[in-house]
Amino acid sequence: MNDGKTEDALRVTHHESRDKGDSSLVTRYSSLSYCVRCGACKELCPTYIEDSTEGMGARGRLMLLRGLAGGDIEPSKALDERIFSCMLCGACNSICPLGINITGAIYKYRRDLRAPNNKRTFISLWVKFALKRATTGFRILKFIEGVGEVFPVYRLKPFKILREIGIGSLDAPLRDSASIFKVSRPKGRIAVFAGCTANFLYPGIGRSLIRSLNAMSYEVILPKGEACCGAPLMGLGLEDAAVRLAEKNMKTFKKMKVEAVISLCPTCVHFIRNEYKGLVGDSIENAMEVSQFFSDKLSAIGNLKDSHSLPLSGSSLKVVYHDPCHSLYSLNVSAEPRQILRSMGLDLVEAERGCCGFGGTFRLLYQDLSESILKKRVEGYRKADMIVTSCPNCMVQLRSRVKDRQVKHIVELIEEAVQGDRDEKEI
Ligand code: SF4
Ligand code: SF4
C-alpha cells in the first residue's frame, strides 16, 4: 500500500529540475516509467556481475523503485538493502539507451525514503564529524591505529581497511601546506582540489601534482578552504549536508582566475563539475582529472622506460591502467591516461575494465561484496608488473590486496617523467 507520502516523495521532478537548474541529480523518479527493461544497464553493474540476482542490478533496482512509486511494493528493510548496496558508480547511466538517470533516482530514495539502520547511522555520524573536523578525525584514526589491538574498536570489521592502509605511519595532511607555489615566468595558473583521500591518506600524490605543474612552469594554488566534495554524504542520503559543502567549495574555487581546477580524484571532479549544478545550481566547469590536463601536454612528458625508480628498469615493464568508475562512466576519460603511459615508453597491457569494489562507504557497509569484486579485478591484472590508476580511493582498495607489486597514481609517474634530472623542490 502506498501511503501517499512515498508517492509524493517519488513524484518530485520538474519543479526541482527548474529550481535547481539541472537534470544531472534531479532527473528523479518520473523517468523510471520510460525504462523498456532492455537490461543493458545490469550487464555493466558491478553488484549484479558479482551477485547475479536481479534486485542487485541496475535494472532490478529501478524496477523496485518503480514498484514503490506505483504503490505495488512497500518500503522494507530488504528494499533498503538493495538500494543502499548500489555503488553509485554511474555505469548504468552511461549505457542506458534512453538516458535514464538511475543514480539520480537512487540518491533520491536515499535522501527521502531510507529506512533506519544502526550501522549506517554510525557511519553517517562519523563521516559528518570527520568532514567537519577533518584534521581531528584524521588524528583520532591515527590514535586508534596507534593504540591498535588494545583498543577494542580497532578489531571491528570496518577498521579492517584502516589496518591495511596503516594510518599511523602517514605524514601531515596536504592541506597543512596550503599555499601558492610560484615559478618564474609562469605560463598559467592552476588550482588543486586535492580531495579527502589524497589530502589525508596520500598527501604525497598531491605534492607530486604540485611539483609536476611547477616543473611545467605553472603557478599552483592549493587553497585553504577546500571542503569534501560531498559525494560520501550524498551516498548516505545526507543531501543537506552535501549542499553546505558544495556551497563552501563554490565560494573557494569559483572566484579563482585559473586555467583549470585539477583534482587527484575523479569522483571529486564528477561531483564539482557535474553534480553541483543539481545541488547548488552552479558548478566548477573547469574542473578536470589529472590525465585530462596532462594528456594535452604530452610533449613535455619524458620517457620513463629506463627510470631507476621503477621496478625492472631497463626491461620491458608491463603496466596496466585501472579505470576509476567516475573517470570511465561520468567523465568519459579513458584514452588520455593510456596516451600518457605510452608516451612514457611503458608497455601497456589491457585487462577487462570494471570497478575495484571500493565505492566510498560501500567498502564499509558491504565488505564481503566489496572484497569479492576486488579479488576478480586484481586477478585480471596479474600479467602486469605495476598497476596505475587516477584515483586515490582505487589505490586504497587495490593496495589492500596487491602486496607483490606497486599500485601508483598516474601523477607519480608524470612527476618522474616531467622532473627528469631536475632537483626536487621542497613542498
Ligand atoms: S538500460 Fe535503461 S532502458 Fe534498459 S533496463 Fe536499464 S534503465 Fe531500463
Ligand atoms: S550505479 Fe553502479 S552499482 Fe549502482 S545500479 Fe548503477 S551500475 Fe549498479
Side-chain angles (χ1 to χ4, degrees):
M1 192 185 73
N2 195 320
D3 59 3
K5 190 176 157 219
T6 306
E7 204 178 337
D8 282 350
L10 300 178
R11 208 186 287 126
V12 187
T13 292
H14 298 304
H15 81 271
E16 274 199 4
S17 294
R18 235 189 355 258
D19 289 347
K20 295 188 176 181
D22 176 65
S23 62
S24 60
L25 205 72
V26 288
T27 310
R28 310 286 191 177
Y29 284 83
S30 67
S31 61
L32 306 193
S33 57
Y34 301 130
C35 172
V36 292
R37 307 186 190 198
C38 67
C41 54
K42 75 174 186 179
E43 298 307 326
L44 276 187
C45 176
T47 52
Y48 177 78
I49 292 169
E50 198 50 44
D51 185 89
S52 308
T53 58
E54 185 71 16
M56 287 296 280
R59 183 178 70 176
R61 291 186 175 107
L62 208 61
M63 288 304 108
L64 289 170
L65 293 177
R66 194 161 144 178
L68 186 66
D72 298 327
I73 59 168
E74 291 186 44
S76 67
K77 203 168 169 237
L79 170 69
D80 210 58
E81 280 301 302
R82 297 289 177 275
I83 306 302
F84 268 93
S85 58
C86 160
M87 303 174 75
L88 297 165
C89 67
C92 47
N93 292 356
S94 75
I95 200 169
C96 175
L98 298 173
I100 296 174
N101 185 351
I102 300 154
T103 52
I106 286 170
Y107 277 126
K108 182 160 173 56
Y109 173 92
R110 293 184 182 188
R111 188 190 75 180
D112 295 339
L113 299 162
R114 66 183 184 274
N117 174 298
N118 289 343
K119 200 171 170 189
R120 241 180 10 241
T121 305
F122 173 75
I123 290 175
S124 299
L125 286 171
W126 167 251
V127 170
K128 271 190 183 168
F129 169 79
L131 293 181
K132 213 167 179 181
R133 303 257 176 279
T135 305
T136 313
F138 177 65
R139 288 197 184 120
I140 291 172
L141 288 178
K142 275 184 98 162
F143 172 75
I144 292 172
E145 214 251 349
V147 177
E149 297 291 328
V150 183
F151 204 49
V153 174
Y154 184 73
R155 272 174 258 140
L156 294 177
K157 233 180 159 191
F159 280 91
K160 188 171 174 237
I161 190 107
L162 300 180
R163 293 197 294 272
E164 286 161 351
I165 298 165
I167 288 195
S169 59
L170 300 174
D171 58 3
L174 184 64
R175 65 200 247 166
D176 286 1
S177 30
S179 184
I180 297 177
F181 300 90
K182 299 193 177 216
V183 287
S184 55
R185 282 195 243 135
K187 67 162 91 145
R189 289 181 109 202
I190 302 291
V192 170
F193 187 103
C196 296
T197 309
N199 226 326
F200 291 98
L201 298 186
Y202 300 130
I205 61 173
R207 294 185 195 111
S208 288
L209 175 59
I210 295 167
R211 286 193 290 260
S212 304
L213 290 166
N214 277 172
M216 290 168 71
S217 300
Y218 285 94
E219 185 172 291
V220 182
I221 306 172
L222 181 67
K224 274 198 197 321
E226 180 188 316
C228 166
C229 67
L233 292 168
M234 283 297 291
L236 288 163
L238 307 171
E239 188 173 305
D240 289 347
V243 165
R244 285 195 288 278
L245 295 177
E247 286 168 347
K248 191 163 183 248
N249 283 325
M250 288 301 294
K251 221 168 157 185
T252 304
F253 286 91
K254 192 71 183 180
K255 63 181 183 217
M256 282 183 186
K257 295 206 169 11
V258 290
E259 189 177 314
V261 175
I262 303 182
S263 179
L264 295 146
C265 172
T267 300
C268 296
V269 177
H270 166 56
F271 250 70
I272 66 180
R273 199 170 85 191
N274 301 334
E275 297 290 15
Y276 274 15
K277 279 183 204 148
L279 285 178
V280 293
D282 198 1
S283 70
I284 302 168
E285 288 110 357
N286 59 349
M288 58 175 79
E289 225 232 35
V290 166
S291 47
Q292 280 179 295
F293 179 82
F294 283 99
S295 66
D296 274 350
K297 321 242 167 337
L298 286 179
S299 56
I301 293 176
N303 197 309
L304 267 188
K305 203 163 172 103
D306 298 322
S307 165
H308 294 294
S309 60
L310 293 178
L312 310 178
S313 64
S315 67
S316 149
L317 180 75
K318 286 191 169 41
V319 172
V320 70
Y321 181 74
H322 167 78
D323 293 274
C325 290
H326 286 129
S327 298
L328 200 54
Y329 305 124
S330 306
L331 303 173
N332 204 16
V333 173
S334 64
E336 295 87 336
R338 290 173 171 79
Q339 277 168 14
I340 291 174
L341 294 171
R342 283 199 194 95
S343 77
M344 292 173 178
L346 300 171
D347 184 3
L348 194 62
V349 293
E350 286 296 342
E352 193 187 348
R353 299 181 191 183
C355 182
C356 68
F358 187 79
T361 50
F362 177 86
R363 181 66 174 88
L364 300 174
L365 290 164
Y366 299 93
Q367 293 205 10
D368 295 342
L369 197 51
S370 167
E371 280 174 23
S372 52
I373 294 171
L374 171 66
K375 187 167 172 250
K376 259 194 210 151
R377 189 63 47 234
V378 168
E379 271 165 18
Y381 295 159
R382 58 179 183 274
K383 281 190 203 143
D385 305 308
M386 180 192 279
I387 302 170
V388 180
T389 188
S390 296
C391 173
N393 298 312
C394 297
M395 285 169 70
V396 169
Q397 179 81 336
L398 293 166
R399 283 182 177 180
S400 73
R401 189 162 190 98
V402 179
K403 304 292 180 192
D404 57 340
R405 288 160 294 159
Q406 285 184 299
V407 178
K408 288 200 168 209
H409 193 289
I410 196 165
V411 80
E412 295 175 86
L413 301 186
I414 291 172
E415 183 193 4
E416 287 184 43
V418 297
Q419 285 269 45
D421 295 331
R422 278 173 236 241
D423 290 337
E424 199 174 272
K425 284 184 199 153
E426 197 57 44
I427 290 173

